């Protein structure tokens, strides 16, 4: 579970559906070995009234990492637990992924803009601790 500095508690990599609650910006921390691909966050948007899957939120990397590579991946249909009477729905999802290249502590940031929210968008900062690659035996 991730405890946010503001007012919400969310489960890792699954951000709340808009229409019920708005997602607050969260700091994300992760660990990876050099050469490893890590999922930092997944975002989707559901209108709870009618259980309608909206387009995936727009995600833009605002501060790229120095020791690895961050990518925004769009997935057309992924099953998610929407909760309430909606149950499980297949929705468009956007993910932020990080590919570790060298050991050290890396940081990056991105902005998330939701279709049903007219604000400036949520800003998210992440810190990734990259460990040296494991020796092959």
């Amino acid at each position: 579970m991730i405890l946010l500095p503001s007012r919400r508690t969310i489960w890792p990599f699954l951000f709340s559906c808009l229409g019920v609650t708005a997602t607050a910006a969260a700091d994300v921390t992760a660990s990876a070995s050099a050469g490893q691909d890590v999922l930092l966050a997944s975002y989707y948007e559901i209108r709870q009234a009618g259980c309608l899957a909206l387009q995936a939120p727009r995600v833009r990397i605002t501060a790229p990492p120095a020791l690895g590579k961050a990518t925004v991946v769009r997935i057309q249909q992924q099953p998610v637990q929407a909760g309430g009477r909606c149950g499980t729905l297949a929705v468009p999802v956007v993910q932020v992924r990080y590919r570790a290249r060298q050991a050290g502590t890396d940081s990056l940031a991105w902005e998330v803009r939701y279709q049903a929210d007219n604000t400036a968008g949520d800003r998210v900062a992440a810190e990734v601790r990259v460990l040296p690659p494991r020796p092959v035996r």
Side-chain angles (χ1 to χ4, degrees), residues 51-70:
C51 299
L52 177 65
L54 302 177
Q55 294 177 1
R58 290 178 296 177
V59 175
R60 180 175 62 95
I61 304 293
T62 57
L67 303 178
K69 182 178 180 179

Side-chain angles (χ1 to χ4, degrees), residues 16-18 43-47 52-59 74-77 90-94 112-117:
S16 181
C17 309
L18 278 181
Y43 299 96
Y44 62 91
E45 193 170 1
I46 297 171
R47 183 172 294 134
L52 177 65
L54 302 177
Q55 294 177 1
R58 290 178 296 177
V59 175
R74 297 186 191 315
I75 301 170
Q76 287 293 21
Q77 296 291 311
V91 300
V93 173
V94 64
V112 183
R113 289 181 158 237
Y114 292 95
Q115 182 178 332
D117 190 9

Side-chain angles (χ1 to χ4, degrees), residues 25-103:
D27 287 327
V28 176
T29 58
S31 294
S33 294
Q36 185 180 9
D37 207 18
V38 178
L39 173 63
L40 296 178
S42 290
Y43 299 96
Y44 62 91
E45 193 170 1
I46 297 171
R47 183 172 294 134
Q48 288 294 105
C51 299
L52 177 65
L54 302 177
Q55 294 177 1
R58 290 178 296 177
V59 175
R60 180 175 62 95
I61 304 293
T62 57
L67 303 178
K69 182 178 180 179
T71 55
V72 175
V73 178
R74 297 186 191 315
I75 301 170
Q76 287 293 21
Q77 296 291 311
Q78 179 174 330
V80 299
Q81 185 62 35
R85 65 181 181 82
C86 296
T88 301
L89 296 173
V91 300
V93 173
V94 64
Q95 297 178 336
V96 178
R97 295 186 158 274
Y98 175 83
R99 176 107 176 137
R101 290 193 180 147
Q102 66 185 53

